[in-house]
Amino acid sequence: MLKIIQAIRGMNDLLPDVLFAWRHVEQVLRDIVESYGYREIRTPIVESTALFQRSIGEVTDIVEKEMYTFEDRNGDSLTLRPEGTAGCVRAGIEHGLFYNQVQRLWYQGPLFRHERPQKGRYRQFNQFGVEAFGMPGPDIDAEMILMTARMWQKLGLSEHVTLQLNSLGDRESRKEYHEKLVAYLSKHHDQLDEDSQRRLHTNPLRVLDSKNPDMQSLIQNAPKLLDEIDAESRAHFDRVRFLLDQAEVSYVINPCLVRGLDYYSRTVFEWSTDCLGAQSAICGGGRFDYLVEQLGGHVAPAIGFAIGLERLIALLEHFHLIPVSDLVPDIYFALVGVEAEDKGLLLAEHLRDALPSVKILMNASNGSLKSQLKKADKSGATLALILGANEIEQEVIAVKFLREEKDQVVVSMDELISFLEKEFVN
Ligand code: HAM
């Protein structure tokens, strides 16, 4: 027996049974962001490795441990994108989208991180994200958060998710804070795990993002960046809070929320749930006012977020909020005998031309009438059309009602379209 080749660990197939729900959710998200003026952008799945090193940060879990990096045939170092913001910024700079302009962009697609797979954490996963450029004020922060709140409301999840909010201040205020944090962490050096000891001097903020349970009380008691941020960032944050309060969106201030990527400044936020186990964040984002400049563009303030679609769908499943597929056929077309098979294919095409909204499932590769009608029943179709040698001779077609207690009828070919129109279109 040949060995069966399986999918890569942590990379999932999405089968037809679940894709109806995926498409529904994607459509809801798309409709909402487009109603706020966001336009789609698609960027490559593979980018230069340097792009992620420079944006996400060298001393982060993603860049240090999780990237799928390889040399291509030219010897260039390439990486499967582990997140969407960097590519979006790169494309915007390359195509002059940010210079003296406001941009609201959305994207969707697969991302790759070599994490340890578990429920809600995969090596290939999908995000739906947005990025807004050229707007420094707190109003866009608030609008973006309100937009996410609208998504949860539309999907029926408002009761099951909570919003955490923090501000990381600007670059300068963070430098001062770093010194305090390093002093505090150095005092507790023996309680730091290996990663944190290494990061203590290269990127101390990352220590606060550690998920190591043994370090949580140390992290909780660390000096808070929120207490140290500059006056302008504080005013910005207060205004975001005011706007959210006014819109009656509730949130929890979490001074320990630092996010796992280095490009953030000022507002950061995360929506999470306690219904999915350890992988509780379904959406995360924040401001990244320096990233465009850092990647070689002109200064352009920016903010964005991304939703983990696997987790969002899992949450909808958990609360039985997944819509049921309406992709059942209207008509099952049974064809009995060679002559019927020949004519049936064209007749089905003709019906599709005349009745484009009607879903027709044609029986292919023959079978007895009995077995075809069994398949018709299983398909969920409302009607079976039956074409055999007799029907062809008499220029009629037999119609069997699969969901009603009604006798089978015979309809002349000339009247078939108007008969079906009455059944399905009106
Ligand atoms: P992130 O927090 O790394 O942010 O990812 C956003 C969301 O993607 C998470 O909240 C989670 O739902 C989902 N996610 C992340 N990793 C995995 C995984 N291994 N398996 C399944 N789902 C996962 C970003 O990626 C930023 N680019 C968001 C952003 C956009 N910030 C500003 N603009």
Side-chain angles (χ1 to χ4, degrees):
M1 273 267 277
L2 279 178
K3 190 167 180 273
I4 293 171
I5 299 169
Q6 292 187 321
I8 310 297
R9 201 160 104 84
M11 302 199 179
N12 300 317
D13 298 307
L14 297 175
L15 300 179
D17 275 352
V18 302
L19 273 172
F20 180 77
W22 275 76
R23 288 190 1 190
H24 164 77
V25 170
E26 287 162 5
Q27 189 66 49
V28 168
L29 302 180
R30 218 174 293 158
D31 287 349
I32 291 179
V33 300
E34 289 187 343
S35 78
Y36 280 74
Y38 286 77
R39 297 182 307 151
E40 186 179 8
I41 184 164
R42 297 187 192 188
T43 61
I45 285 171
V46 183
E47 299 269 4
S48 293
T49 303
L51 174 68
F52 301 115
Q53 291 166 332
R54 250 161 82 182
S55 53
I56 300 169
E58 297 266 12
V59 188
T60 55
D61 275 354
I62 296 180
V63 171
E64 281 184 341
K65 306 177 191 170
E66 296 170 1
M67 296 207 301
Y68 281 89
T69 296
F70 59 96
E71 267 191 14
D72 76 354
R73 288 168 195 272
N74 303 329
D76 296 328
S77 179
L78 306 183
T79 294
L80 300 187
R81 62 180 185 195
E83 62 103 46
T85 309
C88 197
V89 171
R90 194 240 350 106
I93 296 171
E94 205 167 316
H95 301 285
L97 301 187
F98 305 144
Y99 189 58
N100 277 344
Q101 286 180 66
V102 161
Q103 288 288 350
R104 285 178 166 89
L105 305 172
W106 71 265
Y107 56 86
Q108 181 194 319
L111 294 309
F112 303 84
R113 296 185 193 173
H114 195 276
E115 297 189 78
R116 199 167 47 78
Q118 57 170 241
K119 184 170 172 272
R121 189 165 71 193
Y122 309 104
R123 290 181 172 170
Q124 174 173 338
F125 59 98
N126 290 274
Q127 283 184 349
F128 183 95
V130 309
E131 319 288 0
F133 297 88
M135 290 166 274
D139 44 359
I140 186 71
D141 305 27
E143 186 194 64
M144 202 169 261
I145 292 171
L146 293 183
M147 189 165 76
T148 51
R150 185 177 296 277
M151 291 169 173
W152 318 140
Q153 193 208 4
K154 179 82 186 169
L155 292 167
L157 287 173
S158 298
E159 307 286 296
H160 312 299
V161 290
T162 44
L163 173 63
Q164 294 178 43
L165 212 56
N166 193 18
S167 174
L168 304 180
D170 69 12
R171 272 190 288 208
E172 293 310 311
S173 64
R174 225 174 311 160
K175 274 187 200 147
E176 283 170 34
Y177 170 73
H178 273 182
E179 284 169 26
K180 278 195 183 167
L181 181 62
V182 171
Y184 167 82
L185 294 174
S186 303
K187 252 198 298 180
H188 301 91
H189 196 265
D190 53 332
Q191 291 175 46
L192 299 177
D193 61 18
E194 215 182 297
D195 270 348
S196 302
Q197 289 185 359
R198 194 165 41 78
R199 289 171 177 175
L200 178 57
H201 296 287
T202 46
N203 195 351
L205 212 58
R206 285 281 74 80
V207 177
L208 299 183
D209 199 37
S210 165
K211 301 288 174 289
N212 182 346
D214 299 337
M215 283 174 43
Q216 292 312 307
S217 74
L218 183 72
I219 290 170
Q220 292 293 330
N221 294 322
K224 301 286 177 285
L225 176 53
L226 190 56
D227 297 334
E228 315 277 333
I229 60 172
D230 55 293
E232 262 185 59
S233 295
R234 164 128 348 251
H236 184 104
F237 193 50
D238 288 346
R239 182 85 186 143
V240 175
R241 291 184 56 178
F242 168 78
L243 293 170
L244 293 179
D245 291 341
Q246 195 179 249
E248 294 178 15
V249 171
S250 35
Y251 53 85
V252 178
I253 302 289
N254 177 1
C256 295
L257 181 71
V258 292
R259 310 263 309 125
L261 308 95
D262 276 355
Y263 50 59
Y264 291 111
S265 54
R266 294 202 171 169
T267 316
V268 286
F269 62 96
E270 228 166 71
W271 286 94
S272 56
T273 170
D274 48 17
C275 306
L276 290 181
Q279 303 310 316
S280 58
I282 59 161
C283 168
R287 267 201 173 270
F288 49 97
D289 290 338
Y290 308 110
L291 184 58
V292 177
E293 192 189 354
Q294 215 170 295
L295 290 177
H298 293 276
V299 180
I303 178 166
F305 67 79
I307 297 170
L309 289 175
E310 280 78 2
R311 293 185 195 173
L312 180 60
I313 306 267
L315 193 59
L316 288 166
E317 267 167 5
H318 181 84
F319 289 107
H320 307 289
L321 292 168
I322 289 286
V324 180
S325 166
D326 69 349
L327 288 177
V328 287
D330 297 308
I331 295 171
Y332 193 95
F333 198 3
L335 306 168
V336 191
V338 180
E339 209 186 338
E341 281 169 28
D342 291 350
K343 292 215 175 336
L345 182 66
L346 289 185
L347 179 55
E349 287 301 303
H350 179 56
L351 293 178
R352 289 183 182 113
D353 287 340
L355 306 163
S357 63
V358 177
K359 299 185 202 82
I360 303 172
L361 192 62
M362 190 191 75
N363 189 84
S365 305
N366 50 54
S368 69
L369 178 61
K370 196 171 161 205
S371 80
Q372 292 193 40
L373 288 179
K374 248 193 198 160
K375 285 188 209 158
D377 193 42
K378 215 173 148 200
S379 75
T382 314
L383 293 187
L385 296 184
I386 304 164
L387 190 68
N390 285 344
E391 283 81 13
I392 291 174
E393 200 187 312
Q394 293 164 31
E395 296 187 1
V396 295
I397 195 153
V399 180
K400 186 172 166 62
F401 298 89
L402 298 169
R403 313 289 149 202
E404 284 173 281
E405 293 289 325
K406 262 164 76 174
D407 288 339
Q408 185 166 316
V409 294
V410 168
V411 178
S412 83
M413 281 294 180
D414 294 342
E415 285 164 10
L416 182 58
I417 288 172
S418 60
F419 174 86
L420 294 176
E421 231 163 27
K422 268 188 222 126
E423 288 292 322
F424 295 109
V425 184
N426 301 325

